[in-house]
Amino acid sequence: MLNLAILISGRGSNMKAILEAIRSNKLKGIKKVIVISNKSDAPGLKIARDEFGVQTVAVTTKAKEDFENELLSVLNRYDFGVNDTLICLAGFMRIIGPTIINKFRHKIVNIHPSLLPSFKGLNAQRQALDAGVKISGCTVHFVDTGVDTGPIILQKCVPVLSYDTDQTLSDRILVLEHEAYVTAIELISSNRIKVKNNKVIEN
Ligand code: GRF
């Protein structure tokens, strides 16, 4: 059984997909959930609270080190321990520093709207359009100290169409993000994968 700490900064559609999967029992083996945001006005916080009755916390501390400490103390306060917690970054727009990454080694996952290792960082969909690739998609990966570099858990792809805009491509990818994130959490919570030589392999 796994606790989920979902970290968001904005609308929280991936968070919502995860919460819906838990509610409809598609995602089993989840003990409790907390949603944490670095923005107190993130729309996703209200969705988590009002639509799902999930505990939410805003950690708005600006300084990097204070932010990390505050995040750790929230996890501690709500009893999200390192042994049974998965931290899911879902549109979380702050870099998580080495203190937390090393403590929660292979227990932090992120979703990124490109087929990594292509198009890391911001505006991945725009980067894909600018590069003229014909296929893009999304990647769920473990978080390491780099930006969008950790071991890849799973990827889903979509065609890039000649008339695509940032919006149309993002929308097409987002549909698959929601599926991919739930599947990745399921793989982890049911102990079906492990990391070996920096690669994710089946158990
Ligand atoms: C998603 O495209 C995700 O891949 C990226 O940020 C966006 C967050 O969207 N990291 P949402 O807040 O989950 O709707």
Side-chain angles (χ1 to χ4, degrees), residues 57-107:
V57 180
V59 179
T60 54
T61 323
K62 289 277 176 291
K64 195 169 172 348
E65 209 169 300
D66 295 346
F67 177 80
E68 306 247 309
N69 288 334
E70 180 62 17
L71 194 54
L72 284 174
S73 85
V74 167
L75 293 172
N76 207 20
R77 192 179 326 142
Y78 288 94
D79 208 16
F80 283 69
V82 74
N83 290 326
D84 55 0
T85 297
L86 182 69
I87 298 177
C88 302
L89 309 184
F92 188 63
M93 302 306 284
R94 259 196 101 142
I95 305 274
I96 301 274
T99 317
I100 295 183
I101 289 176
N102 292 330
K103 189 174 160 83
F104 286 83
R105 195 171 144 72
H106 298 151
K107 287 170 185 243

Side-chain angles (χ1 to χ4, degrees), residues 112 118-133:
H112 184 75
S118 293
F119 314 132
K120 301 182 177 96
L122 292 175
N123 304 319
Q125 301 92 334
R126 170 53 29 205
Q127 292 183 53
L129 290 171
D130 288 345
V133 295

Side-chain angles (χ1 to χ4, degrees), residues 10-15 90-92 110-113 125 174 177-178:
R11 66 186 167 185
S13 74
N14 278 287
M15 170 209 76
F92 188 63
N110 181 43
I111 185 141
H112 184 75
Q125 301 92 334
L174 193 63
E177 288 187 37
H178 297 163

Side-chain angles (χ1 to χ4, degrees), residues 4-18:
L4 290 189
I6 307 177
L7 273 52
I8 63 167
S9 297
R11 66 186 167 185
S13 74
N14 278 287
M15 170 209 76
K16 188 173 178 191
I18 296 165

